Structures are given as structure tokens and as C-alpha cells.
Amino acid sequence: MTSRTIRTVETVGTETGTVGTVETVSTGVKPPQLRAARVRRQSVIKFVILFATLSFLFVPLLAMLIFTLRHPLSGRWSAAPWIAIFTGNGESLGADLTVLWQGIGTSLSLSAVTVVIMLMLLVPTMVIVHIRSKVLERAIEWVATLPLTIPAIVLVVGLGPIYRWLSADVLSTNPIWLCFAYVILVMPFAFRAIAVGLNSIDVKTLVEASRSLGASWPKVFFKVIIPNLWQSILSASFISIAVVLGEYTVASLLGRMNLQVALYQLGQSNSQISTAMSLLALLFGAVLLVALDLISDAMRKSREGK
């Protein structure tokens, strides 16, 4: 219900016989009861949407947690899987955690190497094309987002012969060389994160002002552009880490070991420990996102303070 304005026109006669009009304006204001009812309805709708969203997100996680604590056959409750993970000894549960630690170490190393290669490739390239050519920037965007449309199993079909040649003639079968494939997988997400940062600042003006003051191109890049892109670089890095930690298809089909392959193999002997470790991996990803948000807020406040 909206407020209404009512205009009333009255004809008034004076002593001299002149006739005039008097316009009376009355504004209809919504009663407080209706406003309160509308606020209550909006609150109920917001609560329902929030509850449905949180249920969709947290009910599977709660089911995973219950599965790790309750034995599926006997129904006995026990924290033995979590104790085995934190003590590093799963022999009492019939599980060899050596594979798990190997997978965790490999995935963390892959995350670091993938992020470094991704930033070395994307950041300079995107900055240059953003300054020089919008047409080339759109072409690079199309290439960078192409892995989103190609399933990972199709990528493996093309990467398989290349990795066989690399493993036999150039490099080795060490899982760390999966970083080249993972750079392709994380490129769409990293590209969008960096592109948001570039579009939020006037790169051309910063470059022209710095060059006019005598700064060299390396100084312009490292001391002017990069400090303004820190938030986007962190976003691209954290998203890339999350993607690498959750990747399974490429590593499995290429016969390499990473965290997800280790969890699959561990699940063959003890599914509770595997599920518990999966929960920890999800928690680590959530911590990364929260850390990204906190770092972004701190960087924004520091810039506003200056």
C-alpha cells in the first residue's frame, strides 16, 4: 500500500463578488501498523531464504561429521578417526596414513608452484594488453576462460601424450609437474579475479603519470601497478589454491598422487578417516576465504587511512 496525495478544490466567494479557489492538499500516510506488518513479512522471508541456504550448505557437512563419529555397522560413537589423523597413527583402524601425508605434501607443493607460475604468466600479460590493446585483451579473455567449457577428462586426453613425453624424455614422473596442467585449470578463475582489479583502477593514467615523472617500466609495474592490484592478486592466489587442493580427475587419470587421489585410496581401507580428512580440507578452504576477506578489509582501511 502506497501513500496518496489528495487534492481538494473549493470555490470561495468574497464580499466583492469575486470568486476564488482554495486548494487543500492532504497527504495520506501509511499507518504504523501496516509498516510494522510489512517489516515482519520481510523479516520472515529473509529468515526462510537464509535458513534454506544454510541448510543446503551445512546439512551435508553435518552428515559427514556424524559419519566420522558413528561407526556405520555397530552404531558405536567414537572419535578414533580424528585421533588417528591428528596423531598420525591409523594402524589401529587398519589404515596406512603414509599415502595421506604424501598426498597432502604434494598438493601443498603443487598449490605453491601453480600460483607462482599463474601469477608470472597472467599479471604481466593482462597489464600490458590492458594498456595497449582492448581487442587483444578480449582475445586473451576468451583463451583464459576456455578451460571452463572443456571438461577435465577431455583435457587429460590431450595432456596424456604430452606428459608421457615429458616424463620419459625431459622431466620425471614426479607429481609436481602437474603444475603445468593445473595452471590451465585455474586460469579462468584467476583471470576474472585479476580483471576485476584492473578494471577498478585507471591503469593508463597511473602509467602515463609515472612515466612522465621519469619512472622506468619495472618501477611502474612493481611500485605503482602491483600495489593497487594486491587484493586481486590475493583473490586469484587463494582461489587457485582451493582449486588445486580439490582437483582429482587430472591427477587420477595421469597416474599421479595428490590429496584427492590419496583420499580415494585411503577410503578403500577406512572411509571414516578419508571423510574426516575431506572435512578438514573443506575447512581449510573456508579459512582461506575468510582470510581473504579479512586481508581485503585491512588493505582497504589502510588505504583509506592514508
Side-chain angles (χ1 to χ4, degrees), residues 234-272:
L234 287 175
S235 300
S237 302
F238 286 172
I239 292 173
S240 300
I241 292 173
V243 172
V244 172
L245 290 179
E247 202 286 320
Y248 170 78
T249 306
V250 174
S252 176
L253 294 180
L254 290 179
R256 304 299 195 275
M257 176 64 66
N258 69 352
L259 175 60
Q260 298 303 320
V261 175
L263 289 177
Y264 172 77
Q265 294 183 4
L266 184 61
Q268 304 302 309
S269 57
N270 192 300
S271 57
Q272 286 184 299

Side-chain angles (χ1 to χ4, degrees), residues 60-71 77-78 272 279:
L61 300 180
L62 180 61
M64 292 175 66
L65 178 62
I66 294 175
F67 177 77
T68 61
L69 297 175
R70 184 177 182 272
H71 195 277
W77 293 80
S78 173
Q272 286 184 299
L279 270 177

Side-chain angles (χ1 to χ4, degrees), residues 1-2 30-50:
M1 180 178 181
T2 58
K30 185 182 297 185
Q33 295 83 357
L34 295 180
R35 292 199 300 270
R38 182 178 181 181
V39 170
R40 285 194 298 269
R41 285 197 301 271
Q42 291 177 347
S43 300
V44 171
I45 294 174
K46 291 178 182 178
F47 175 78
V48 171
I49 294 175
L50 181 62

